[in-house]
Amino acid sequence: MKNSTKVILICLICLTYFIILNQSNEDASFNKDELSSNWNKDAKEVVRVYINATNTKDLELMNECIFNMDGYDYSHIGFYGEIKETLDDIIYIKYIDSEEVPFKTVEGRLKNGKYIYFKDGKSMDVKYKVKYKFENQPEESGINYLKYTLIKNKDGDYKIISCGY
């Protein structure tokens, strides 16, 4: 094999490696320190931050995006956010876009059995791209859509209370 052919082959291998590396870190430019002070006042931004935090596996920031209330029965809605084991199965996830869709009152339940109704919120159809290590996930790698429902907490911040269709 000629030296020029070897050089070209090595360059192609390196280029392929960098493309794969770049793809697996598609949203590595996300920096939570650059978030505006009122990012959580915008439902679309909360969803974007949540997905980017999922990509960087930042559980603390993910939890900042999720509804939390003392005495609330989370088993009623079944949404707790991502857990570490699920995050380990994701190679990358990238927020693409979202659009607001009609919001319906969310019924929740307290641990004491009483019901609570959240009437102030937004629902977002979210488009994202995900790549899994294994293809036995509830969804496949590639472009996916989910509906996120967000409500306002007592401070007026949007928090994710449910996700799915």
Side-chain angles (χ1 to χ4, degrees):
M1 195 183 289
K2 293 181 181 180
N3 283 342
S4 61
T5 306
K6 287 180 184 177
V7 170
I8 291 173
L9 185 59
I10 291 171
C11 287
L12 285 174
I13 291 170
C14 289
L15 180 62
T16 303
Y17 172 77
F18 286 117
I19 289 171
I20 291 170
L21 182 65
N22 186 42
Q23 184 179 20
S24 67
N25 293 313
E26 282 193 36
D27 216 17
S29 62
F30 175 71
N31 183 350
K32 70 179 182 181
D33 297 328
E34 294 176 0
L35 291 173
S36 69
S37 60
N38 61 349
W39 64 269
N40 47 10
K41 303 292 184 199
D42 178 356
K44 187 173 187 171
E45 185 67 4
V46 171
V47 171
R48 186 188 75 81
V49 168
Y50 178 76
I51 290 176
N52 286 326
T54 302
N55 186 55
T56 60
K57 298 172 179 31
D58 185 337
L59 291 171
E60 183 179 324
L61 184 56
M62 290 169 64
N63 286 331
E64 283 185 49
C65 299
I66 298 172
F67 176 72
N68 184 4
M69 183 174 106
D70 288 338
Y72 190 75
D73 180 4
Y74 292 92
S75 65
H76 183 67
I77 57 171
F79 180 75
Y80 307 93
E82 301 291 342
I83 56 174
K84 184 173 180 346
E85 292 76 25
T86 306
L87 292 176
D88 290 342
D89 291 339
I90 297 173
I91 295 172
Y92 70 85
I93 184 168
K94 180 184 181 206
Y95 171 87
I96 297 173
D97 195 16
S98 60
E99 67 178 58
E100 191 172 338
V101 295
F103 173 82
K104 294 180 183 168
T105 299
V106 175
E107 178 185 274
R109 187 171 61 201
L110 301 175
K111 289 180 180 175
N112 65 11
K114 292 184 180 179
Y115 286 89
I116 184 170
Y117 297 92
F118 301 99
K119 297 178 180 177
D120 189 15
K122 291 190 178 186
S123 292
M124 309 294 293
D125 271 341
V126 180
K127 181 180 180 181
Y128 60 96
K129 183 177 182 181
V130 65
K131 176 70 175 160
Y132 292 105
K133 289 180 183 175
F134 309 103
E135 290 302 324
N136 60 351
Q137 302 300 316
E139 61 188 9
E140 295 182 14
S141 292
I143 304 288
N144 285 284
Y145 298 86
L146 270 178
K147 178 179 159 189
Y148 284 81
T149 302
L150 300 93
I151 52 113
K152 285 188 174 182
N153 68 6
K154 63 181 184 227
D155 299 323
D157 298 338
Y158 280 102
K159 301 290 183 177
I160 300 169
I161 194 163
S162 69
C163 170
Y165 280 103

